[in-house]
Amino acid sequence: MIERGSRPATLVDVARLVGVSASTVSNVVRGSNVVAAPTRRRVLAAIEELDYRPNALARQLLQGRATTVGIIARDLRNPFIAEMASLLEREVARLGFAAMFCATDGDPEREDQAIGLMLDNRVSGLVFLSLLGRPSLIAAKVGGRLPAVFVAAEEPWADSVTVDEHRGGEIVARHLVGLGHRRLAFLGPQQPDRADMRRLEGFLRAAGDSGLKPTVIAWDPPDGSPSIDGNPVDWVEILAGPIPATGIFAANDFAAIDLIDVADTLGVHVPQALSIVGFDDVDMARLRRINLTTVSQPRDALVRLGVEALLGRIDGRIVGEPRVTLASVSLKVRGSTAPAP
Amino acid sequence: MIERGSRPATLVDVARLVGVSASTVSNVVRGSNVVAAPTRRRVLAAIEELDYRPNALARQLLQGRATTVGIIARDLRNPFIAEMASLLEREVARLGFAAMFCATDGDPEREDQAIGLMLDNRVSGLVFLSLLGRPSLIAAKVGGRLPAVFVAAEEPWADSVTVDEHRGGEIVARHLVGLGHRRLAFLGPQQPDRADMRRLEGFLRAAGDSGLKPTVIAWDPPDGSPSIDGNPVDWVEILAGPIPATGIFAANDFAAIDLIDVADTLGVHVPQALSIVGFDDVDMARLRRINLTTVSQPRDALVRLGVEALLGRIDGRIVGEPRVTLASVSLKVRGSTAPAP
DNA sequence: GCATGGGGTTGGAACGCTGCAACCCGCGTC
DNA sequence: GACGCGGGTTGCAGCGTTCCAACCCCATGC
């Protein structure tokens, strides 16, 4: 390792070297145009020589807030969230913000701690990415202190950018019904968040229009065991059993893909005996081995709109009541769905 | 949205409310035990009342560095990296550090910018996660200014925590040779990093011991087209041939899974006609539909050791020459490999 | 010759906190 | 009664910036 330099050069070090005041150096650094060209040149040379980098902490202390946004996500192991987090980071970086990141894994304690950390570090704003958790608690901590936006999620007390989840659910139901399925099921997490609920509502609604009443299964892949109305059930019952669903809508691709795996294990053929639809359209859904019919979310748009909303709040361009921005969804029909057996 | 409070309370606000000096409040906040119990109680009450949170920026300015570590990763779309990033964040958070995050997607410009941002924000240390890029440039910017550690990667000028890549490559070769394969190939990115090279070396070495000379294919999935020695080739040539490889070692699971997809498209049966081995053992490798034979890396250990090394450098417990810590690998034999046809 | 103006530069206060030296005060000691 | 002691508290300097008012100086105008 190259030996650790002493302490980094400061603005006054540069000023001393050039024989000019700190203010002048500051003006050069910030690109103010009041500095005479020759002076500017000499300052720049000194900056180069001393390898000076402005101390963002000092600057941020003065402004009262950091040029940083916090991104709080649920679980980076879900590829959809990982992809979104990556896009988010890129977008805020493009606009000159640093990204402070935290994954909570749905643990309220970590969530709490993460928000505290970001608050202390005076981030300019907070992005909640597909966040489960106890919304009221988050609201209590963040509410009003800081601009916040929910992306791919929704909360009444803050701006949200999300897709029309309800319509997504409807589309799926209609697709399955159109294929002749009469025994439908919805597969969601044990603790569904608002988005999950919306998807379910749309699904139930459209299914209801065709006189169907889907079964609702709760499951946290890959390790949890499934339950209906809080009562544990066996996969065999659901897939081959007395509740033989032939069309299942999983609340997200992550779960859908694990469901396919369960079906494979039990020898239930997808899509011949069982049709499965996901939600998100993660990268891997396109693989021929997975080939998942799913509802596609416009990732880029969600991220762009989310960051736009957040920055609008940060610089005060947007004020007033929280807004919900909806992006549209589309069904990507692939090979995991087929006419009912 | 709950209405935005004015400016957040400061230490002196608390002090004034209690009728005590700022120093005393500071002592309470930092948990110093010099404060008399009754005073402490009153101060704590005031902190509660004013909803005071210490300004981390001010504290960090004073200490000369932030309680933050930067994580610079290549690409969050690779599940292995996403999983590692998540673990890294959790580990540094556990130790009281905030995580500043940046994904570079291999773009040197973004890399540069990211390092600059972190330098300016006076992070305590930097973790490079499986980073491609121009090592010399990074070294020039970071070298010596800041503690840095490479995780799942290796650089001569900084601490590294990685697996025995060479041995990983060997194991794969022996596995394939043991299955009777004689026509081997290695599939790596256009711009292999050090880890990729090591895997290749081990693979070539062990293959050489059996008198075999694998073909080296460069490919960036999923969009790039493959090449050998810089000359574009067609997948058909490779998989069905005039260069009919029957056993291919992909430098990582991400590529291996896409390779399986290519084989599926071309109607080449895996593993009957073609055996494929990956590297990383990402979560999805276990899915029956993928069922990838792969070299498993001990994620938890890599992260733990990496953070340990970094913190050691940060607080000066570790000094001197850069160290390389190796974790061991193991082959997970699954269904993507079979005896040579 | 004096006021006016404006480009260029500077000094100093402020941001919110920490660390240190100084201080105060009641108590025990000689 | 002077002194030392030590627990508890305070004042102040300083961290590296930015921002603003003030300033200097030279050119211009009448």
Side-chain angles (χ1 to χ4, degrees), chain A residues 113-246:
Chain A
Q113 183 186 323
I115 295 176
L117 201 64
M118 306 214 166
L119 244 32
D120 289 353
N121 278 283
R122 299 297 191 266
V123 297
S124 293
L126 237 31
V127 179
F128 292 96
L129 179 55
S130 181
L131 197 69
L132 193 89
R134 294 168 308 176
S136 57
L137 260 191
I138 302 181
K141 286 208 83 164
V142 178
R145 285 168 166 268
L146 217 55
V149 58
F150 282 75
V151 172
E154 192 189 336
E155 285 300 326
W157 56 270
D159 291 337
S160 314
V161 177
T162 177
V163 295
D164 189 339
E165 315 276 7
H166 196 276
R167 185 167 152 64
E170 285 178 6
I171 294 177
V172 173
R174 280 206 279 272
H175 174 61
L176 288 173
V177 169
L179 287 169
H181 292 272
R182 309 291 297 168
R183 322 219 50 154
L184 303 181
F186 174 86
L187 185 71
Q190 298 278 356
Q191 305 188 359
D193 62 14
R194 224 176 225 93
D196 297 322
M197 292 309 294
R198 291 271 153 86
R199 289 169 198 180
L200 172 57
E201 283 163 23
F203 186 64
L204 291 181
R205 163 78 172 282
D209 287 350
S210 303
L212 304 181
K213 195 164 178 332
T215 310
V216 176
I217 309 167
W219 185 46
D220 291 315
D223 298 319
S225 60
S227 63
I228 296 178
D229 291 333
N231 306 312
V233 286
D234 200 282
W235 277 120
V236 178
E237 290 182 64
I238 301 168
L239 300 184
I243 324 164
T246 65

Side-chain angles (χ1 to χ4, degrees), chain B residues 11 26 30 52 55 59 62:
Chain B
L11 207 129
S26 172
R30 282 172 305 133
Y52 166 74
N55 184 331
R59 187 181 344 225
L62 211 49

Side-chain angles (χ1 to χ4, degrees), chain B residues 204-243:
Chain B
L204 291 180
R205 164 79 170 283
D209 287 350
S210 303
L212 303 181
K213 194 162 180 333
T215 311
V216 177
I217 310 168
W219 184 47
D220 292 314
D223 300 319
S225 59
S227 62
I228 296 178
D229 294 332
N231 306 313
V233 286
D234 199 281
W235 277 120
V236 178
E237 289 183 63
I238 300 170
L239 300 185
I243 322 165

Side-chain angles (χ1 to χ4, degrees), chain A residues 2-302:
Chain A
I2 303 159
E3 66 184 309
R4 193 79 42 79
S6 44
R7 94 193 196 316
T10 76
L11 209 128
V12 303
D13 293 333
V14 177
R16 250 198 303 267
L17 180 61
V18 183
V20 87
S21 82
S23 306
T24 300
V25 179
S26 173
N27 282 328
V28 171
V29 176
R30 284 172 305 131
S32 151
N33 57 352
V34 313
V35 185
T39 318
R40 152 170 292 125
R41 266 194 297 278
R42 285 191 302 141
V43 170
L44 288 176
I47 287 177
E48 184 79 13
E49 182 179 340
L50 295 180
D51 202 8
Y52 165 75
R53 305 216 54 133
N55 185 331
L57 296 174
R59 180 171 2 214
Q60 293 168 347
L61 170 61
L62 209 52
Q63 338 256 66
R65 71 154 90 118
T67 319
T68 302
V69 317
I71 301 177
I72 301 185
R74 186 159 72 199
D75 174 14
L76 237 39
R77 291 164 39 158
N78 178 332
F80 173 73
I81 301 184
E83 291 163 23
M84 289 288 288
S86 188
L87 291 175
L88 267 173
E89 187 272 323
R90 183 184 318 187
E91 183 69 2
V92 300
R94 198 174 64 78
L95 298 169
F97 286 79
M100 201 161 238
F101 185 81
C102 183
T104 65
D105 296 312
D107 176 357
E109 193 176 330
R110 290 212 53 192
E111 203 165 74
D112 221 56
Q113 183 186 323
I115 295 176
L117 201 64
M118 306 214 166
L119 244 32
D120 289 353
N121 278 283
R122 299 297 191 266
V123 297
S124 293
L126 237 31
V127 179
F128 292 96
L129 179 55
S130 181
L131 197 69
L132 193 89
R134 294 168 308 176
S136 57
L137 260 191
I138 302 181
K141 286 208 83 164
V142 178
R145 285 168 166 268
L146 217 55
V149 58
F150 282 75
V151 172
E154 192 189 336
E155 285 300 326
W157 56 270
D159 291 337
S160 314
V161 177
T162 177
V163 295
D164 189 339
E165 315 276 7
H166 196 276
R167 185 167 152 64
E170 285 178 6
I171 294 177
V172 173
R174 280 206 279 272
H175 174 61
L176 288 173
V177 169
L179 287 169
H181 292 272
R182 309 291 297 168
R183 322 219 50 154
L184 303 181
F186 174 86
L187 185 71
Q190 298 278 356
Q191 305 188 359
D193 62 14
R194 224 176 225 93
D196 297 322
M197 292 309 294
R198 291 271 153 86
R199 289 169 198 180
L200 172 57
E201 283 163 23
F203 186 64
L204 291 181
R205 163 78 172 282
D209 287 350
S210 303
L212 304 181
K213 195 164 178 332
T215 310
V216 176
I217 309 167
W219 185 46
D220 291 315
D223 298 319
S225 60
S227 63
I228 296 178
D229 291 333
N231 306 312
V233 286
D234 200 282
W235 277 120
V236 178
E237 290 182 64
I238 301 168
L239 300 184
I243 324 164
T246 65
I248 301 188
F249 172 30
N252 59 68
D253 285 358
F254 200 42
I257 289 171
D258 267 308
L259 176 61
I260 291 179
D261 202 48
V262 170
D264 290 346
T265 310
L266 297 181
V268 177
H269 294 293
V270 177
Q272 295 82 357
L274 174 66
S275 285
I276 294 178
V277 184
F279 203 110
D280 287 346
D281 194 17
V282 298
D283 279 349
M284 58 182 288
R286 73 175 160 74
L287 296 177
R288 277 157 198 75
R289 295 245 173 143
I290 307 287
N291 205 14
L292 181 68
T293 296
T294 186
V295 178
S296 174
Q297 304 203 48
R299 272 168 271 228
D300 291 320
L302 288 175

